[in-house]
Amino acid sequence: MSPQSPGGTEIDVRRAIETVFRIESPRIVAAVTRVVRDVGIAEELAQDALVAALEQWQRDGVPDNPGAWLMTTARRRAVDLVRRRENYARKLQEIGREMPEAAPPEEPTDPDDIDDDLLRLVFTTCHPVLSAEARVALTLRLLGGLTTAEIARAFLVPEATVAQRIVRAKRTLATKNVAFEVPYGPEREARLTDVLDVIYLVFNEGYSATAGDDWLRPGLCEDALRLARVLAGLMPKEPEVHGLAALLEFQASRAAARTGPDGEPVLLKDQNRRRWNRMLIARGIRALERAGATATGAPGPYVLQATVAACHAHAHTYEETDWATIATLYGLLAARAPSPVVELNRAVAVSMAEGPEAALGIVDGLAPHLPDYHLLPSVRGDLLARLGRTAEARAEFERAVGLAGNERERELLREKLRSLLAR
C-alpha cells in the first residue's frame, strides 16, 4: 500500500477511487461478465468492489495497483457467487429437485484468436436485440464509464428515462440469453457494423448536437474516440474499425476550430486551420494506412468517409480542397451504403467541383426522403443564394430555422437569413 500523503484527505482518496474506477470499470465488468454471464450482475459486483475500496482505501491508503485491486476483488466476489449457485443447485439435486446448472459454460473456441473480455462486452452492449437508444445508453454506461446522470445530460433526456433504458437493456440481454461472445464469420461482420454505428452515433452527437444550447459536447467526442481506439487495438485485422478510428481522429482534430469565442458554430470554410490538431491528423493518417494495409476488398463506408476527411486535412485552405475527389468518394459511398444524407453530402461536393446548378438537381430529388431534416433546406438555400435566386434562398433558410433543434445552429441559419436580407 502507498501511504496516504500527509496532505491527503478523505476527498482526495474518494477522487482517486472515482478516477481509477472510471478507467478500469469497463475491463472489470467485462472480466466479471465472463464469470457470471450477466452484465447486470457483473456491474453490481463491480460496484460492490468499489464500495469495498471506499471502505478499505480510506483506512489503509490507496494500493500500489488500484486497478488490479478492484479487478481481484470483483472477480473473487463473482467466483463466490458462482460457487454459492453451484452449492445451491447441488443441494436442490440432493433433495430431489431440479434446477438448471448455473456454473459458467465452457469457453467457446475462438478461431481468430480473439479472446478479450472487453471486446465481448462491446459486442454484448451493441447487440441487435436492443434498441439503438438502449445500445448507446448501455455502451456509455459500461464502456464509457458514464453515470446515468451524465448520459441523461449528454442526450438531454430525463435521468429516469436513461435509467429505465439501462435496466431494460440488461434485463433483455438476460432474458434473451444473449451470449457473452464475439460472433464469428458473417454474423461478426453484421454485428460489427452495429458496434461501429453506435460509437459513431455517440461521436456525432458530441460533434454536432441535435438539440440544446451548445453545438459541441466534447466529452461525448472524447468517449467515442477512446472507444474507437480501444476497438482498433482489439481488432487490428478489421479495416472498417481502423476506418472509423481514422474518421474520428480527423474530425476531432477540427473540434477547436468549429466554434468561436462565444461557442458559435464556425463552418469549415471559415475555420482557422492553424487551430486544427496536427497530432490527431497524424493519428488519423496512420489509422487510415492501417485500414489500407488490412483491406482485402473494396473500401467500406467508414474507410471511405475517413478518406474524405483526409482530403480536408491535407488541404491548406478551403479553396485548395480536392472537391472532385471528394465528390467521387461520396459517389462510391452512396453505392456502398446508400442513404439520403450521403447523397446530400455528395451534392455539396458536386456544387464545389462543378457548380451549384449541377448539385441542385441532386438536392431536389432528396426532398421526399428528408422531409424534416434541417440540413436539406439549408444546403438548398446555399445553392439558391449562389445562383442569385435570393427570395427562394430566404424561404429555404426560414424553413431550416424551423426544423433545426439546436439553438446554436438556428442562430447560424438566422445569420444567413440576415445576410440575404441585407443584399
Side-chain angles (χ1 to χ4, degrees), residues 36-305:
V36 299
R37 300 285 164 178
D38 186 306
V39 292
I41 294 174
E43 190 187 15
E44 290 174 7
L45 292 169
Q47 293 286 342
D48 285 349
L50 175 65
V51 172
L54 287 168
E55 294 172 352
Q56 187 167 330
W57 297 4
Q58 293 283 3
R59 183 185 65 239
D60 302 333
V62 178
D64 293 333
N65 191 337
W69 190 99
L70 286 168
M71 178 71 83
T72 300
T73 301
R75 271 181 167 162
R76 282 175 179 164
R77 294 182 181 219
V79 171
D80 288 345
L81 176 65
V82 172
R83 283 175 178 163
R84 287 199 299 273
R85 285 174 172 173
E86 290 175 334
N87 288 336
Y88 181 61
R90 188 163 49 248
K91 288 177 181 176
L92 286 180
Q93 288 175 347
E94 287 172 357
I95 61 177
R97 296 176 59 184
E98 294 184 355
M99 182 174 179
E101 181 59 53
E106 292 294 324
E107 288 293 302
T109 301
D110 188 338
D112 293 341
D113 295 324
I114 292 178
D115 184 18
D116 191 287
D117 294 334
L118 193 58
L119 186 59
R120 292 174 181 172
L121 186 60
V122 173
F123 276 88
T124 301
T125 59
C126 296
H127 196 280
V129 297
L130 303 177
S131 67
E133 294 83 2
R135 290 177 206 165
V136 170
L138 196 59
T139 300
L140 286 176
R141 173 64 174 267
L142 298 184
L143 289 157
L146 273 66
T147 65
T148 303
E150 288 172 329
I151 299 170
R153 281 198 300 273
F155 286 93
L156 304 177
V157 296
E159 189 174 339
T161 301
V162 173
Q164 288 173 359
R165 284 177 186 168
I166 292 173
V167 168
R168 288 173 184 162
K170 288 188 287 193
R171 187 185 303 144
T172 299
L173 293 175
T175 56
K176 298 286 185 182
N177 291 318
V178 171
F180 184 61
E181 64 181 11
V182 177
Y184 306 120
E187 187 182 352
R188 176 189 295 178
E189 185 176 350
R191 293 269 298 280
L192 179 59
T193 300
D194 289 334
V195 170
L196 300 182
D197 288 349
V198 165
I199 295 174
Y200 191 41
L201 179 63
V202 172
F203 184 91
N204 270 346
E205 188 56 34
Y207 198 63
S208 183
T210 54
D213 296 330
D214 297 321
W215 201 33
L216 291 181
R217 294 174 193 157
L220 281 180
C221 292
E222 292 167 8
D223 288 330
L225 183 55
R226 184 179 62 79
L227 290 176
R229 288 171 178 167
V230 168
L231 198 60
L234 295 172
M235 305 185 75
K237 298 177 183 177
E238 295 287 349
E240 275 292 90
V241 175
H242 294 301
L244 176 68
L247 175 60
L248 300 198
E249 300 279 10
F250 284 130
Q251 290 188 318
S253 74
R254 299 184 223 139
R258 276 173 58 80
T259 53
D262 297 323
E264 70 274 19
V266 179
L267 299 179
L268 181 62
K269 65 183 178 62
D270 300 320
Q271 289 176 12
N272 180 353
R273 298 187 177 216
R274 285 177 295 183
R275 298 189 67 196
W276 288 6
N277 188 317
R278 295 294 157 186
M279 184 192 75
L280 294 182
I281 290 175
R283 289 183 61 94
I285 292 171
R286 287 197 296 274
L288 196 52
E289 289 172 347
R290 283 193 286 272
T294 54
T296 56
Y302 286 109
V303 171
L304 288 169
Q305 291 180 78

